[in-house]
Amino acid sequence: MLNKSQSKSLFQKAQQFIPGGVNSPVRAFKAVGGDPLFIKSAQGAYLYDEDGNEFIELINSWGPMILGHANEKVIGAVNEALKSSLSFGAPTKKEVDIAELITEMFPSIEKVRMVNSGTEATMSAIRLARGFTGRDKVIKFEGCYHGHGDSFLIAAGSGAITMGTPDSPGVTKGTAKDTLLAKYNDLESVERLVQTNKGDIAALIIEPVAGNMGCVLPENDFLQKLRSLCSKEGIVLIFDEVMTGFRLARGGAQEVFNVQADLTTLGKIIGGGMPVGAYGGKKEIMEFVSPSGPVYQAGTLSGNPIAMAAGFETLNQLYSDPTIYEELNKATSKLVAGIRNNFSKIGKNYTINHIGSMFSLFFTESPVSDFDSAKQSDTSLFGKYFNRMLENGIYLAPSQFEALFISVSIDQNHIDKIVEANRISLEAIH
Ligand code: KE4
């Protein structure tokens, strides 16, 4: 049994001062049972908690740590930047450098605005789409999560599913009426909304590969069909690549599926672990953003020099060595194959959805291609699996409805250990 005494007492104390004892709901382990571990440090592929337990981790801080923890060059860049103070609230060279690099990596992004989180990026992108088109309504997909902006907390994914409160209190009816819900991989559900809201839809926002109902991939040219529908109807196509951006490829899902969005939202990896988000896209749309245009958006710490140092160094490593993606994808395929091999021992053929260096193991034997099918998964069995894997030294995302990630620090030795822990855990719970 894991010694969790330090984490337990810290969690007790944390709940006196912080709602639920955490600063983001999914961290509270409510979906898997047991108390959260308080992490003290991390290095490469490993997390170390306050009780000195060591874990191989597949969460990468929900995506950002693609280069592994405490990457030497990233830490070096941050330490160097720290010597010049932490924030000026004025333009800096590093912001120009990272903006130029992002437009290099994402051909569809001609101009980009830095913000401080994925939520800020998506909130700003739909405001911009509404300002640019003069229309009010936005289409989102059941099970997709775009941060906690009011317009998005309607049948959201990620923590909202995990917390079982898909339509959060506090979101007004006035806001909710402008958010239309479609089904992932169901083009007809989109076409129906477009027909019944002709000329009123400003934007369609989608996770081009969903990660917040677990990993769900677009099927049958779904993204290409959305692209042509939006072009035909004058709807701004927004790819929320907060998770897939710089994860699936240098140019994210747009590079992998060869579909260009009008606007793209970014986060996670873009900051290399520091709080950074961004939204960008076609010049003619981005010119509408203040101060070049009338759509207002601002932020005290947007483009913060320390965050830019971490983000630029992270993106620059990914940009200058594309073999990183081949390595990441190879390692992930080996891991997924190893886990699939273990199913025969328990006589189950669970579903694994996998692309690039992100994947999800669903505790259902049926295919998972949208929110309804994802919810067929046995979440209590997932909870048992999660805790067994923890006992066996592997730290997973504490929810069935999240994606797992591989960092460059994961090598064959780690893969063997994860596969073995998976075998032991699966056998223990069946
Ligand atoms: P943040 O505001 O958490 O930086 O980004 C929101 C967001 C937007 N779009 C997508 C596709 C996202 O996945 C996210 C955030 N992802 C969750 C994990 N699934 C963050 C983890 C958490 O909420 O603590």
Side-chain angles (χ1 to χ4, degrees), residues 296-307:
Y296 195 71
Q297 179 269 313
T300 304
L301 294 173
S302 296
N304 170 272
I306 313 304

Side-chain angles (χ1 to χ4, degrees), residues 228-410:
S228 20
L229 179 59
C230 288
S231 303
K232 188 157 90 34
E233 299 290 337
I235 295 170
V236 175
L237 177 61
I238 303 174
F239 274 11
D240 178 356
E241 296 225 39
V242 165
M243 190 182 280
T244 54
F246 317 113
R247 166 61 62 182
L248 298 185
R250 293 189 291 188
Q254 291 172 64
E255 178 179 322
V256 173
F257 292 94
N258 193 23
V259 178
Q260 295 219 330
D262 298 316
L263 291 179
T264 302
T265 54
L266 299 165
K268 295 180 190 282
I269 292 170
I270 195 173
M274 292 289 282
V276 180
Y279 64 103
K282 284 181 175 164
K283 218 174 262 175
E284 61 168 329
I285 304 178
M286 290 304 291
E287 292 294 351
F288 266 65
V289 179
S290 175
S292 47
V295 177
Y296 195 71
Q297 179 269 313
T300 304
L301 294 173
S302 296
N304 170 272
I306 313 304
M308 293 298 101
F312 182 82
E313 178 51 40
T314 299
L315 298 190
N316 202 35
Q317 288 188 44
L318 296 169
Y319 178 66
S320 21
D321 178 8
T323 61
I324 286 182
Y325 289 102
E326 287 155 40
E327 293 310 308
L328 281 168
N329 299 352
K330 227 182 329 183
T332 313
S333 300
K334 279 188 202 163
L335 175 56
V336 168
I339 293 173
R340 280 211 170 90
N341 270 339
N342 291 337
F343 292 163
S344 52
K345 295 169 188 129
I346 52 166
K348 293 280 182 187
N349 187 22
Y350 289 131
T351 294
I352 299 183
N353 287 348
H354 153 225
I355 180 169
S357 60
M358 66 190 264
F359 71 99
S360 291
L361 162 55
F362 292 94
F363 280 84
T364 172
E365 295 183 273
S366 323
V368 176
S369 58
D370 61 15
F371 185 34
D372 290 338
S373 44
K375 285 195 290 184
Q376 298 310 308
S377 309
D378 182 337
T379 50
S380 67
L381 193 58
F382 177 86
K384 292 191 186 99
Y385 171 69
F386 172 86
N387 283 293
R388 285 283 174 167
M389 287 292 271
L390 218 47
E391 291 291 335
N392 290 304
I394 311 298
Y395 192 101
L396 305 175
S399 161
Q400 169 69 89
F401 303 110
E402 295 290 351
L404 296 177
F405 304 102
I406 299 291
S407 75
V408 301
S409 304
I410 295 282

Side-chain angles (χ1 to χ4, degrees), residues 59-82:
I59 188 165
N60 284 201
S61 175
W62 306 95
M65 309 315 287
I66 191 168
L67 296 179
H69 288 284
N71 172 281
E72 209 177 310
K73 285 187 180 169
V74 173
I75 299 291
V78 168
N79 284 335
E80 189 54 34
L82 283 172

